[in-house]
Amino acid sequence: MKFPDLTLALLSALLIFLRSTTADVGNLLQHAYCGSTGTFTANSTYDLNLQTLLTNLTTSATNSSNFGFAKSSFGSIPNEIFGLVLCRGDVNSSFCSFCLSQATQQIQNLCPYYKEATIYYEVCLLRFSNQDFLSTTDNSELQYIKWNNRKVTGSQTLFDSYLNYLMNTTADYAAFNSSKKFGAAQLNLYNAFHETYGLVQCTPDMSSLDCAYCLKNLIGEMPKYFSGKIGGRILGVRCNMRYEQNLFYSGVSLLSLTPPAENAPALALAPAPAPAHQGPELHQKMQGTIILCSNQRLSIGSGQGISELKNEVIILAKLRHKNLVNLLGFCLEENEKMLVYELLPNNSLDKFLSDPQKSEQLDWRKRYQIIEGIARGLLYLHEESQIKIIHRDLKTSNILLDENMLPKISDFGFAKLFVLDKSCTTTSRIVGTNGYIAPECLMSGSVSAKSDIFSYGIIVLEILTGRSITDFHGSGSAPNLISFVWKKWSNGRAVRVIDRRLGDTYPINEVLRCMHIALLCVQTDPSKRPDVASVVLMLSSYSMDLPRPSNPAFFMEGSTTTTTNGGAPTNTSADALREQYHKQNKMRCKELSINNVTITEMDPR
Ligand SMILES: *[C@@H]1O[C@H](CO)[C@@H](O)[C@H](O)[C@H]1NC(C)=O
Ligand SMILES: *[C@@H]1O[C@H](CO)[C@@H](O)[C@H](O)[C@H]1NC(C)=O
Ligand SMILES: *[C@@H]1O[C@H](CO)[C@@H](O)[C@H](O)[C@H]1NC(C)=O
Ligand SMILES: *[C@@H]1O[C@H](CO)[C@@H](O)[C@H](O)[C@H]1NC(C)=O
Ligand SMILES: *[C@@H]1O[C@H](CO)[C@@H](O)[C@H](O)[C@H]1NC(C)=O
Ligand SMILES: *[C@@H]1O[C@H](CO)[C@@H](O)[C@H](O)[C@H]1NC(C)=O
Ligand SMILES: *[C@@H]1O[C@H](CO)[C@@H](O)[C@H](O)[C@H]1NC(C)=O
Ligand SMILES: *[C@@H]1O[C@H](CO)[C@@H](O)[C@H](O)[C@H]1NC(C)=O
Ligand SMILES: *[C@@H]1O[C@H](CO)[C@@H](O)[C@H](O)[C@H]1NC(C)=O
């Protein structure tokens, strides 16, 4: 009797499924940050104090007079511990208690014996530390930011302005009208967009002004991450925000809003501002892009040959992405060859990494933002733009930084179009910058999107270690940086290569995850390197398991890494590399003639 058995099996599977979705907050885990203030041993005084504190916090928070919040310290120096817990304002006390008990267990699994740790769930958070973080309401550390990549249909600018209105109003309500310091609102957008739900919260011990300030900062960050997106959240220890197009909180909305009429007209489809017209000579017209010869503010690329310059202009004119430099115009006269970019006040990434003082300003948030931004720019080039492009010369000096330290990829002088199914092309000339060139390009002159991934991996390693490939002498400078990281990584000492200038307050697991991803990018076999979409996914999804990196390109057993101050250079002669490379791979490259890039070739299909 097969049939009833099967039904029964299905039924019990369904029951198990239902039970686990209602009573399990495990899948609501957002992120954990393990601290960097040291570890303790099992059954030590610190351990016992921690258990006492955690129990106390959960008990206090679930007392209905405390609004799901508790903060407390326990023990005496050096075993004093500070802790804080908060449940989302809409959850009932039993669910709050359940979430906090899960958090208490999980945090000790995820950050075993760490003196400091922070964990975010969808509906609660827990932080403890041996440092007194309770005396401030600073929210800038340990933020966890996440969004839904789907875009709204319709004007993004208009949506962004509605969203700002929703979150601002909800924030003011939470800060000034709610003793719980909690606000949840729905914005009715009728025909224009789907209705949108917003939620904000501060810890209830904060003053109205502190709470408003905290939330204002979060709202200020929204355009950077959430522009046009259908959902997003920023979690912090002291305040948090979230919005979605579905009702994600329980209970009724505290506010029901309709955007004020004056919000609409000013923002609807504003045309992009035209480049400043400072008496320029109209020189040439190309596909709607006005090209200017004028003494503009900034020009790069003067060292390029005319064909690289042309190449760059043609490619850039077709591209628009927040992580690519914006070309305003160019000039191609005999003595005046120049490209006019938007002004990027913070110069290029290499300037920051090579300057000890400037690199101190690059805290982990900024570095992470740069690592992610470059990946998103590259994703656009490789997969999202109407023409597919391999950059071929990614390096830190080609990553420009805007006033918010957002990275923009520049210098498309060597970029190549590629046809999707031809993953591999051969060029007669190897271009790129020594140290960033993937081994397969050095060996056979073949180029693929995966060679950009290799260069990206090198850049990420430079950002994490704070060391430029030029710090490593020898003919193969990248080989030495890679070996330096790989050796420590494979000995379980990866932490030692992290830039000391990051200080001691960075989320170590996040840094190590980036290092892991970078090592995947510099693997010898291009087919093992992740494509850029996977890189972006790995960076944004912490729950995703990463494969183990295999030996990276250029890594040689027994080679010594050399730094600025000496040591023999490693055996990285081109011959040695070629030999090593051919041992490991056999690349099949379709011969493909690369014509000089011309305007007609690049016309949209
Ligand atoms: C800690 O104490 C518990 C219970 O007293 C015991 O089971 C455990 O083995 C101890 N662990 C260590 C590492 O001493
Ligand atoms: C938790 O600790 C605080 C401060 O030490 C104390 O005032 C409070 O009574 C404790 N609460 C519980 C439920 O143990
Ligand atoms: C809840 O807190 C109030 C005030 O702090 C206290 O009087 C009461 O005993 C607490 N209730 C429980 C169940 O702990
Ligand atoms: C508390 O909330 C959970 C999750 O929303 C729900 O399943 C449960 O029934 C609620 N409990 C009470 C007592 O309202
Ligand atoms: C919030 O409080 C202010 C005064 O403090 C009041 O004018 C306003 O109507 C309140 N808003 C809501 C939505 O209750
Ligand atoms: C909301 O917007 C008003 C007007 O721009 C501003 O004064 C207020 O500080 C904003 N509140 C928050 C919490 O951002
Ligand atoms: C980046 O540029 C802005 C605007 O010029 C400036 O205020 C900021 O200090 C710069 N950031 C760094 C880290 O230099
Ligand atoms: C470097 O490698 C090449 C090619 O494998 C080899 O012939 C040469 O002896 C090596 N040099 C040293 C110093 O190991
Ligand atoms: C194309 O490139 C070749 C060398 O790579 C050069 O000799 C030739 O003049 C170029 N043709 C054009 C039209 O630029």
Side-chain angles (χ1 to χ4, degrees):
M1 288 284 275
K2 282 258 147 72
F3 187 67
D5 283 354
L6 189 64
T7 318
L8 204 65
L10 278 176
L11 207 69
S12 52
L14 188 66
L15 283 175
I16 289 165
F17 174 72
L18 287 177
R19 207 166 47 230
S20 65
T21 48
T22 51
D24 185 8
V25 293
N27 57 340
L28 302 181
L29 172 64
Q30 300 291 299
H31 198 62
Y33 291 103
C34 305
S36 53
T37 60
T39 53
F40 58 85
T41 48
N43 298 344
S44 60
T45 311
Y46 198 93
D47 194 358
L48 303 179
N49 287 354
L50 180 61
Q51 306 315 321
T52 309
L53 178 76
L54 293 177
T55 313
N56 172 305
L57 287 173
T58 302
T59 314
S60 307
T62 43
N63 182 326
S64 59
S65 57
N66 292 333
F67 303 126
F69 167 75
K71 64 175 180 182
S72 172
S73 65
F74 189 77
S76 51
I77 296 167
N79 294 308
E80 187 176 21
I81 316 176
F82 303 83
L84 179 155
V85 296
L86 178 68
C87 286
R88 203 172 71 188
D90 60 308
V91 306
N92 61 33
S93 135
S94 55
F95 202 42
C96 174
S97 165
F98 183 63
C99 185
L100 290 177
S101 67
Q102 292 290 305
T104 299
Q105 283 171 26
Q106 267 303 327
I107 201 168
Q108 296 183 79
N109 293 337
L110 295 172
C111 305
Y113 305 118
Y114 277 72
K115 285 190 171 170
E116 175 182 292
T118 307
I119 192 165
Y120 293 115
Y121 280 84
E122 198 126 294
V123 296
C124 72
L125 73 91
L126 160 61
R127 168 162 170 72
F128 64 80
S129 174
N130 58 342
Q131 312 280 320
D132 182 7
F133 66 96
L134 298 177
S135 53
T136 90
T137 53
D138 178 65
N139 198 54
S140 56
E141 297 292 321
L142 301 169
Q143 282 186 359
Y144 178 68
I145 303 175
K146 187 168 137 178
W147 55 83
N148 187 324
N149 247 334
R150 260 183 51 216
K151 296 273 180 110
V152 295
T153 47
S155 160
Q156 296 185 11
T157 327
L158 188 57
F159 177 76
D160 289 350
S161 78
Y162 287 157
L163 185 60
N164 183 62
Y165 166 74
L166 167 68
M167 300 316 289
N168 171 288
T169 312
T170 316
D172 279 347
Y173 177 88
F176 298 104
N177 298 59
S178 157
S179 44
K180 219 176 178 178
K181 298 285 187 295
F182 171 73
Q186 85 184 61
L187 181 65
N188 308 302
L189 293 167
Y190 304 112
N191 308 330
F193 299 100
H194 207 285
E195 64 245 8
T196 304
Y197 301 86
L199 177 152
V200 301
Q201 184 172 20
C202 297
T203 58
D205 62 328
M206 284 163 80
S207 71
S208 291
L209 285 177
D210 281 347
C211 176
Y213 176 79
C214 192
L215 293 172
K216 205 185 180 80
N217 281 333
L218 298 190
I219 293 171
E221 297 211 56
M222 287 173 49
K224 227 174 5 190
Y225 303 104
F226 303 153
S227 187
K229 310 240 167 77
I230 62 166
R233 70 187 76 173
I234 306 178
L235 305 180
V237 173
R238 284 304 191 156
C239 67
N240 61 71
M241 61 78 47
R242 180 178 173 191
Y243 75 95
E244 306 286 349
Q245 297 203 322
N246 59 306
L247 179 59
F248 62 92
Y249 47 81
S250 44
V252 292
S253 305
L254 299 164
L255 300 169
S256 175
L257 308 168
T258 352
E262 72 264 28
N263 252 27
L267 286 147
L269 291 174
H277 221 262
Q278 301 160 340
E281 171 192 340
L282 190 62
H283 186 65
Q284 224 181 338
K285 209 170 164 80
M286 183 192 78
Q287 291 159 4
T289 313
I290 297 170
I291 295 140
L292 310 170
C293 275
S294 70
N295 46 353
Q296 283 272 359
R297 297 158 297 181
L298 183 73
S299 76
I300 322 179
S302 45
Q304 290 176 330
I306 189 91
S307 65
E308 279 95 13
L309 208 74
K310 258 192 198 160
N311 188 19
E312 173 150 17
V313 167
I314 293 157
I315 288 184
L316 268 179
K318 289 232 165 54
L319 302 177
R320 279 272 175 278
H321 188 268
K322 67 179 173 99
N323 295 115
L324 301 188
V325 72
N326 200 357
L327 183 71
L328 298 179
F330 74 93
C331 176
L332 286 185
E333 282 177 345
E334 208 168 338
N335 299 320
E336 276 271 44
K337 292 194 285 283
M338 112 181 134
L339 304 182
V340 183
Y341 292 113
E342 61 185 318
L343 185 68
L344 293 166
N346 282 327
N347 221 318
S348 51
L349 180 57
D350 63 322
K351 298 276 188 317
F352 272 90
L353 292 175
S354 60
D355 180 330
Q357 265 156 14
K358 277 185 143 182
S359 66
E360 259 170 35
Q361 298 164 21
L362 278 186
D363 61 20
W364 175 245
R365 271 299 121 222
K366 294 208 183 81
R367 291 188 202 212
Y368 188 71
Q369 173 178 299
I370 292 169
I371 290 171
E372 224 185 6
I374 303 171
R376 286 184 187 276
L378 204 53
L379 178 65
Y380 175 80
L381 286 179
H382 284 186
E383 295 184 9
E384 289 173 349
S385 67
Q386 45 175 161
I387 45 177
K388 312 286 169 221
I389 287 169
I390 310 178
H391 186 284
R392 299 208 297 168
D393 196 16
L394 281 177
K395 54 182 170 179
T396 50
S397 58
N398 284 342
I399 307 297
L400 305 182
L401 298 166
D402 77 357
E403 68 277 11
N404 297 316
M405 300 296 285
L406 284 178
K408 302 201 178 235
I409 300 173
S410 76
D411 199 345
F412 291 77
F414 290 137
K416 280 271 182 276
L417 303 179
F418 67 94
V419 187
L420 262 184
D421 53 358
K422 295 187 178 104
S423 63
C424 188
T425 68
T426 305
T427 59
S428 51
R429 191 163 63 108
I430 295 168
V431 302
T433 301
N434 192 18
Y436 292 92
I437 305 175
E440 70 275 12
C441 301
L442 278 182
M443 305 321 147
S444 62
S446 65
V447 177
S448 72
K450 294 296 182 68
S451 34
D452 275 353
I453 296 290
F454 180 88
S455 313
Y456 173 78
I458 298 288
I459 293 175
V460 174
L461 291 180
E462 289 186 276
I463 295 174
L464 299 178
T465 59
R467 302 182 68 164
S468 158
I469 52 166
T470 56
D471 290 353
F472 297 85
H473 277 235
S475 59
S477 35
N480 291 334
L481 171 62
I482 295 175
S483 301
F484 170 66
V485 175
W486 176 252
K487 276 189 179 169
K488 292 283 196 297
W489 169 275
S490 43
N491 290 336
R493 294 193 182 142
V495 179
R496 302 235 179 130
V497 306
I498 298 171
D499 190 356
R500 291 220 180 83
R501 291 169 298 203
L502 275 175
D504 45 15
T505 52
Y506 56 85
I508 189 130
N509 50 349
E510 203 171 299
V511 179
L512 291 180
R513 191 172 167 91
C514 286
M515 196 182 295
H516 192 153
I517 295 168
L519 288 171
L520 292 172
C521 293
V522 299
Q523 291 175 102
T524 314
D525 182 352
S527 69
K528 281 192 179 157
R529 293 177 209 148
D531 59 19
V532 64
S534 311
V535 170
V536 168
L537 190 66
M538 290 189 283
L539 285 171
S540 60
S541 163
Y542 281 82
S543 48
M544 189 175 154
D545 283 336
L546 304 183
R548 264 192 70 79
S550 54
N551 271 14
F554 301 129
F555 174 70
M556 268 159 250
E557 208 56 64
S559 69
T560 52
T561 58
T562 56
T563 55
T564 320
N565 292 327
T570 55
N571 189 353
T572 49
S573 71
D575 280 350
L577 290 175
R578 190 168 288 126
E579 191 176 300
Q580 183 199 13
Y581 175 74
H582 283 299
K583 245 188 263 165
Q584 294 175 15
N585 307 284
K586 285 208 179 79
M587 290 272 306
R588 282 170 298 109
C589 288
K590 275 189 195 134
E591 281 292 333
L592 192 88
S593 78
I594 306 288
N595 299 324
N596 308 8
V597 185
T598 64
I599 294 180
T600 47
E601 210 181 296
M602 323 225 359
D603 277 339
R605 281 156 285 170

